[in-house]
Amino acid sequence: MNAAGQDEKNRADLVAANHILAHQGILDAFGHVSVRSAVNPGHYFMSRASAPSMVGPGDIMEFDLDGNPLDLQGRKIYNERFIHGEIFKARPDVNAIVHSHSPSVIPFSVTETALQPVCHMACFLQKAVPVFEIRDVEGENNSLLIVKGTTAAALARKLGDSAVVLMRGHGNAVVAGNLRLAVFRAIYTELNAKIQSESLRLGRVNYLTIQEARNFQEALEGSEANLQRPWDLWVSEVTPR
Ligand code: MN
């Protein structure tokens, strides 16, 4: 597939990704998902400001990595879009990003307990997930929202080479090399958080080792079919029949 064909697929998958993430309870009225352009890697696609479940093909817009829309047409755009551009700048390996407020993850952003992999499907977590503290950048007079490029750049630095970064008292950002994998990781980040919280209530938790997580990740992500199966299921769940 050439780059133009890839972008046509990216735009169609982006609409589906919005619907899937809303249906799965990762995004509600808020949060957003983006995919880097294959034609111009210095650009990305994201919906205009809208509830994700209501996003249609005509809502997809193109932005540069500083968050400027190429063709605004008077539309409202997401205030926190800087999260996407700054992570794309910092991570050439990342081609898709989900920013969500998925509820089970938030406890790990406001306590001393690190989010760690407790089940094999969350193998991409691998190590304690970093937590971004906005007070470190903006001080006490912050709005919790990332509405400045400089704050988003600090978030990208906290992410480092991880797949997920938590935002204290707010949400998280999940990244991947492609859009379908980013959706997969956002869904299993939420599920892992839920299972980890339940496990912690029962007693001492036996976490996956980094070696186990790496080995399973290789097996899972090494095969296109492994990621196609859940994607097909999730698409079918949001496709009217
Ligand atoms: Mn947010």
Side-chain angles (χ1 to χ4, degrees):
M1 196 185 300
N2 65 15
Q6 180 63 45
D7 273 354
E8 202 172 315
K9 180 165 175 281
N10 280 340
R11 285 166 165 272
D13 278 2
L14 188 55
V15 174
N18 271 278
H19 299 169
I20 290 167
L21 290 165
H23 184 255
Q24 292 284 330
I26 307 303
L27 304 176
D28 50 15
F30 301 99
H32 18 85
V33 50
S34 67
V35 61
R36 193 196 289 271
S37 167
V39 169
N40 184 348
H43 290 177
Y44 65 91
F45 300 109
M46 191 159 68
S47 170
R48 71 176 176 90
S50 169
S53 66
M54 298 173 71
V55 168
D59 296 318
I60 303 303
M61 298 174 64
E62 188 170 346
F63 296 86
D64 70 21
L65 298 190
D66 290 323
N68 302 306
L70 266 66
D71 185 15
L72 184 59
Q73 292 179 22
R75 291 173 285 189
K76 173 129 177 52
I77 51 181
Y78 292 121
N79 291 329
E80 291 195 290
R81 63 191 179 280
F82 303 100
I83 293 170
H84 301 261
E86 293 302 324
I87 291 176
F88 284 134
K89 281 183 201 172
R91 290 279 300 271
D93 62 310
V94 166
N95 293 308
I97 301 168
V98 178
H99 165 56
S100 85
H101 312 144
S102 66
S104 305
V105 180
I106 293 181
F108 296 93
S109 77
V110 295
T111 62
E112 295 289 306
T113 304
L115 183 64
Q116 286 178 257
V118 286
C119 65
H120 65 320
M121 300 304 276
C123 54
F124 54 88
L125 295 178
Q126 291 199 3
K127 54 187 178 185
V129 175
V131 180
F132 175 70
E133 172 54 82
I134 195 166
R135 288 181 197 131
D136 292 346
V137 185
E138 297 193 2
E140 293 296 325
N141 190 18
N142 72 79
S143 66
L144 290 162
L145 301 180
I146 299 199
V147 293
K148 291 183 204 157
T150 48
T151 308
L155 176 75
R157 284 196 294 277
K158 179 60 78 171
L159 169 70
D161 61 0
S162 298
V164 181
V165 61
L166 307 192
M167 301 154 68
R168 193 264 311 160
H170 175 174
N172 67 82
V174 176
V175 307
N178 66 70
L179 183 56
R180 293 176 181 198
L181 188 56
V183 168
F184 179 99
R185 287 178 173 179
I187 290 169
Y188 282 106
T189 296
E190 167 68 14
L191 189 65
N192 187 88
K194 195 180 276 181
I195 294 170
Q196 188 180 345
S197 286
E198 285 170 7
S199 304
L200 285 162
R201 275 193 282 277
L202 296 182
R204 197 179 152 273
V205 179
N206 190 356
Y207 293 102
L208 270 65
T209 65
I210 289 177
Q211 188 65 60
E212 287 172 336
R214 279 199 188 130
N215 290 346
F216 184 76
Q217 186 179 23
E218 231 175 81
L220 177 80
E221 295 178 6
S223 149
E224 183 93 1
N226 285 341
L227 298 172
Q228 190 66 42
R229 195 198 309 177
W231 178 261
D232 289 343
L233 168 68
W234 294 329
V235 166
S236 80
E237 289 172 344
V238 296
T239 305
R241 33 179 111 217

